[in-house]
Amino acid sequence: MENFGGDHEGEFRKLISELAEGRDAAAKLQMILNGPLPAHSDHELLLLHNVISSYNKALAMLNYNNPYSESTHPVPPGPAFGTESSSAFTGSPHSEEDSDRGGDGSRKRKAPRWTQKVQACHESGFEGYPDDGYIWRKYGQKDILGTRYPRGYFRCTHRHAQGCLATKQVQRSDEDPNIFNITYCRNHTCNQPQTGGAASHHQLPPQNPAESQLSINPITQVSQQETIHHHENHPLSYHYFDDFPSTTNAATDHHHRYGFQQHYDPNFGWNASSPSGFGLVEGNQRALFAPIYRLTI
DNA sequence: GAAATTTGACCCAC
DNA sequence: GTGGGTCAAATTTC
């Protein structure tokens, strides 16, 4: 934001801080309204939803133009990018892979990573981590030192067919088993169906924030519920929660459309075998997810 | 039978 | 040497 040039860094940060506080407050209110207490009208929820969305968009705009951010494109992806995902695949998978291997053939890479914390708020005992619109295939699971829950390793199901190198790691939070830490690595380069499924309504594809910045869709962004953390070096850390109107129909439709499968693991929760661990909602159960993004490049 | 998951082994960075 | 990430064979599911 050009108005924050010169010596206005403090003002800029203060402005974002105020916006973030407002959004947090609205988010808390939304969580209450979405809680187990008697249902509130859709109109009320929609209004609140719009408030949060406005905060988010303001923050996104400010941050995008933030000259003080140490990250070139610090705004992480939002759940609403699903339908826009294909246009965001601008990265070169080969170059990423090359950089991953550091030129010496090493499997350990330093590809950009970004972490999404997803809170599964459930009323019925069902829990899981949200669909991000992509179909993942689990290729490993490991117990991580110092953590209570194992870490699951997923790769894009089109890895071989289309050479998509996107991977993600899913691990339950020690502090709150309802929170899943999902670390994405590499953007998708495949052409997975994103339209029509529940995913496109709830969760953005796991795009590297550094590359998805320019594809913000303010319309779909309205239906987000997430908390955003900035790059670890970024002075700001803001959150926003947005409604996750996971209707039963949407979830089951997605299930049928993509052959949705999940298995419950007592340690790991819902283990998704296909569309990326979406919190399957059955019957009249309603699930809310609050993703938390943190760029960890 | 095809596709996905599980799980032990292997490789590599620290 | 240790821990994290990936591979690949075995197993399971559809």
Side-chain angles (χ1 to χ4, degrees):
Chain A
M1 185 161 290
E2 52 279 354
N3 289 339
F4 291 99
D7 195 23
H8 297 284
E9 178 178 352
E11 294 178 17
F12 177 77
R13 289 176 178 172
K14 188 175 180 180
L15 172 60
I16 289 194
S17 178
E18 290 295 327
L19 285 170
E21 283 187 23
R23 189 176 58 186
D24 285 347
K28 289 174 183 174
L29 177 58
Q30 186 178 46
M31 295 292 283
I32 293 173
L33 290 175
N34 280 321
L37 295 177
H40 299 264
S41 72
D42 288 342
H43 181 65
E44 292 172 344
L45 292 174
L46 180 62
L47 286 174
L48 183 56
H49 202 163
N50 290 339
V51 171
I52 297 172
S53 177
S54 295
Y55 276 118
N56 174 61
K57 282 185 280 190
L59 283 165
M61 286 185 289
L62 284 169
N63 192 66
Y64 173 62
N65 294 294
N66 177 11
Y68 312 109
S69 170
E70 297 182 29
S71 173
T72 305
H73 302 291
V75 176
F81 293 132
T83 56
E84 301 292 315
S85 61
S86 61
S87 63
F89 290 134
T90 55
S92 168
H94 301 295
S95 60
E96 280 188 353
E97 181 179 29
D98 292 345
S99 63
D100 284 355
R101 295 177 179 272
D104 61 356
S106 167
R107 268 193 300 168
K108 302 269 176 99
R109 73 307 74 116
K110 293 183 179 179
R113 293 176 168 220
W114 58 104
T115 298
Q116 174 185 14
K117 287 189 178 181
V118 178
Q119 180 175 20
C121 308
H122 49 91
E123 302 171 9
S124 57
F126 275 91
E127 56 189 69
Y129 37 92
D131 183 13
D132 50 30
Y134 287 90
I135 303 174
W136 300 91
R137 179 173 175 175
K138 190 175 185 178
Y139 67 89
Q141 178 171 312
K142 286 208 70 163
D143 291 324
I144 302 302
L145 198 71
T147 64
R148 287 163 50 192
Y149 303 101
R151 176 179 299 168
Y153 298 89
F154 297 84
R155 67 163 67 100
C156 178
T157 193
H158 299 300
R159 185 182 184 90
H160 297 301
Q162 300 183 31
C164 181
L165 296 173
T167 62
K168 75 173 180 180
Q169 301 169 2
V170 182
Q171 184 170 22
R172 279 193 144 184
S173 170
D174 285 342
E175 297 90 21
D176 185 355
N178 289 325
I179 292 179
F180 290 90
N181 295 312
I182 304 178
T183 300
Y184 293 101
C185 184
R186 305 187 195 94
N187 285 333
H188 282 272
T189 57
C190 58
N191 294 315
Q192 292 197 27
Q194 291 272 317
T195 57
S200 61
H201 298 134
H202 306 303
Q203 184 75 23
L204 81 166
Q207 285 292 308
N208 178 354
E211 296 188 11
S212 62
Q213 168 64 34
L214 295 176
S215 62
I216 289 176
N217 183 337
I219 296 175
T220 51
Q221 213 171 7
V222 169
S223 60
Q224 301 171 359
Q225 178 170 22
E226 62 178 348
T227 296
I228 293 180
H229 291 272
H230 273 260
H231 188 284
E232 57 188 1
N233 293 325
H234 193 278
L236 300 171
S237 176
Y238 66 89
H239 318 267
Y240 80 82
F241 294 88
D242 197 355
D243 194 8
F244 202 172
S246 174
T247 63
T248 298
N249 288 342
T252 53
D253 178 57
H254 187 265
H255 181 177
H256 294 144
R257 193 182 305 268
Y258 295 120
F260 203 88
Q261 300 174 5
Q262 284 198 331
H263 313 284
Y264 187 75
D265 182 308
N267 293 321
F268 207 62
W270 287 100
N271 180 9
S273 61
S274 54
S276 68
F278 183 73
L280 180 59
V281 180
E282 294 185 351
N284 291 323
Q285 292 149 354
R286 185 179 185 191
L288 294 175
F289 299 100
I292 303 169
Y293 290 102
R294 179 175 53 219
L295 185 62
T296 57
I297 295 174

